[in-house]
Amino acid sequence: MTDQTLEVTGGVDTHGETHHAAVVDRIGRHLADREFPATGTGYRQLLSWLRSFGRVKAVGVEGTGAYGAGLARTLRRAGLQVVEVDRPDRRTRRMKGKSDPIDAYAAAEAVASGRATGTPKSRDGIVESVRTLRVVRRSAVKSRTQAINQARQLLVTAPEALRAQLRGLTTAALAKACARLRPGTDLADPAHAAKAALRRLGRRILALTEEIDELEAELKPLTTRAAPELLALKGVGADVAGQLLATAGDNPDRLNSEAAFAHLCGAAPIPASSGRRDRHRLNRGGDRAANHALHTIVLSRMRWDERTRAYVERRTSEGLAKKDIMRCLKRHVAREVYRVLMTSLHTTRTGLNTTPSDLAEAA
């Protein structure tokens, strides 16, 4: 019979169709591994299989934000601790090889040894709704930009009569004018073909614009409901707030300090000293979309906020370069945003009507 007092740790290598699980004991000895389908039934089978070896201390899962999202939710609802595990680096793979069992055991060993400690996003609240809608909005904006660029590029080589008709129009007016074009039936004529292409691009731009407007109308109430205090900060609009919410996730307890949030956003200073020169540089890691959101806030405040402009002038007079000033401002903004975000997300999850009492002073 299985010793149910045995404490074990699980590891899962996730894929689109199957998940490969492995179990190790408290000192890292390999006990067993097995493959399961990536379905609801497969998740339950994997959970029962893990528990058949003893008390499950924790489960390390690769890709909790992708292929492992469904499994992570199932394990968390069952009361198990789920730890986010990164893929083995290239050096480790060159030394130990690559296979599903090897990766699953590596995930379990990383959790058992304490090397992996990351808490995955819960993805079960309003922030996940914001993130999901933002994915569609981002693709729509990208497609619209591509269509606009294609329309303007076609105009460069279009016949002069058509160019004269559409020259000097704004983007919105150009899209409407292109959508109203009436090409002839003979598409072998370059002029008629150009009109047909521009008409389709114009209609595509208008349709994408309508889709983006609909998504923004859906996103703004959700963002306001999730973090109204965040939208009240200077330089923070609905798009920036949505990105910062998506970066933080629904479970704010996974970010145990404002320094961790700054590191996640790529706003933590990195030492770059050498010899008698003592300095820090910008962090080029972290979530680049969140870093861009902080960058947008800083640019807005540098232009419109009097305190920020005074700070920039003072630091410039001290000999600090503009990129270093912006690094400092991003760090200040990350501190302020973190405290507001944590208060808002805790309030959203608990239903309490509390307000932040100790916000960091803006840069």
Side-chain angles (χ1 to χ4, degrees):
M1 295 179 61
T2 303
D3 182 5
Q4 295 298 323
T5 63
L6 180 66
E7 186 178 85
V8 298
T9 302
V12 185
D13 180 30
T14 60
H15 301 279
E17 301 296 330
T18 61
H19 295 337
H20 203 100
V23 183
V24 300
D25 62 13
R26 67 178 64 192
I27 61 175
R29 290 180 298 191
H30 295 189
L31 301 181
D33 66 273
R34 183 178 168 186
E35 186 176 81
F36 298 88
T39 62
T41 302
Y43 300 155
R44 292 188 291 272
Q45 292 173 350
L46 190 152
L47 176 61
S48 299
W49 180 77
L50 286 175
R51 285 176 166 169
S52 68
F53 292 92
R55 187 174 69 85
V56 182
K57 179 181 179 182
V59 182
V61 180
E62 286 188 13
T64 58
Y67 293 137
L71 175 63
R73 278 193 291 263
T74 300
L75 296 176
R76 192 162 43 243
R77 288 168 186 162
L80 298 185
Q81 179 188 358
V82 179
V83 179
E84 186 170 4
V85 178
D86 294 331
R87 293 184 304 169
D89 57 26
R90 292 183 179 179
R91 179 182 177 185
T92 302
R93 293 195 172 192
R94 282 197 301 267
M95 294 175 61
K96 297 185 177 181
K98 168 72 175 74
S99 70
D100 293 346
I102 290 176
D103 288 348
Y105 277 120
E109 291 167 356
V111 176
S113 64
R115 295 196 309 271
T117 58
T119 302
K121 295 179 181 179
S122 61
R123 301 183 182 276
D124 59 358
I126 189 172
V127 174
E128 178 63 11
S129 301
V130 172
R131 186 197 68 83
T132 303
L133 292 175
R134 278 182 54 81
V135 170
V136 183
R137 181 188 177 278
R138 184 166 59 248
S139 66
V141 170
K142 184 177 180 180
S143 297
R144 183 179 65 174
T145 301
Q146 185 181 36
I148 292 171
N149 291 338
Q150 288 173 346
R152 294 197 179 279
Q153 183 61 37
L154 283 177
L155 279 176
V156 173
T157 57
E160 179 56 33
L162 184 58
R163 294 176 60 194
Q165 181 182 349
L166 302 176
R167 184 180 290 117
L169 297 180
T170 63
T171 300
L174 176 64
K176 294 177 181 178
C178 288
R180 291 193 300 265
L181 290 174
R182 294 294 181 265
T185 58
D186 183 14
L187 295 183
D189 186 342
H192 293 173
K195 285 185 178 181
L198 287 170
R199 182 174 67 170
R200 287 188 173 87
L201 286 173
R203 291 177 177 178
R204 186 185 304 175
I205 294 168
L206 294 177
L208 288 170
T209 300
E210 182 179 358
E211 180 181 342
I212 292 168
D213 292 341
E214 291 175 355
L215 286 166
E216 288 178 348
E218 294 168 350
L219 277 166
K220 189 170 183 180
L222 288 176
T223 306
T224 304
R225 178 180 169 186
E229 298 90 349
L230 184 60
L231 287 169
L233 296 179
K234 291 183 178 179
V236 179
D239 186 54
V240 169
Q243 178 56 58
L244 293 173
L245 282 168
T247 299
D250 281 296
N251 44 332
D253 50 338
R254 62 190 289 268
L255 300 171
N256 49 19
S257 69
E258 53 90 11
F261 178 71
H263 188 76
L264 176 63
C265 295
I270 302 297
S273 302
S274 177
R276 289 179 291 181
R277 187 180 185 185
D278 186 13
R279 62 180 292 271
H280 291 76
R281 66 166 177 82
L282 289 171
N283 184 354
R284 296 176 178 85
D287 186 338
R288 302 316 298 170
N291 189 274
H292 182 265
L294 295 180
H295 187 80
T296 301
I297 298 173
V298 168
L299 287 179
S300 176
R301 292 186 177 186
M302 289 175 67
R303 184 170 184 179
W304 303 109
D305 185 49
E306 292 297 330
R307 289 183 302 169
T308 304
R309 294 173 65 178
Y311 175 84
V312 172
E313 292 178 2
R314 177 171 62 83
R315 299 293 293 199
T316 302
S317 65
E318 294 173 356
L320 207 62
K322 182 178 179 180
K323 65 177 182 179
D324 292 326
I325 295 174
M326 294 187 72
R327 173 186 59 77
C328 296
L329 287 172
K330 281 184 181 181
R331 187 64 180 85
H332 282 294
V333 172
R335 181 181 297 112
E336 181 181 13
V337 166
Y338 170 79
R339 297 192 180 185
V340 176
L341 265 179
M342 295 305 102
T343 302
S344 298
L345 293 177
H346 276 298
T347 301
T348 301
R349 292 179 70 87
T350 60
L352 300 176
N353 295 320
T354 57
T355 57
S357 58
D358 185 23
L359 299 181
E361 183 176 332

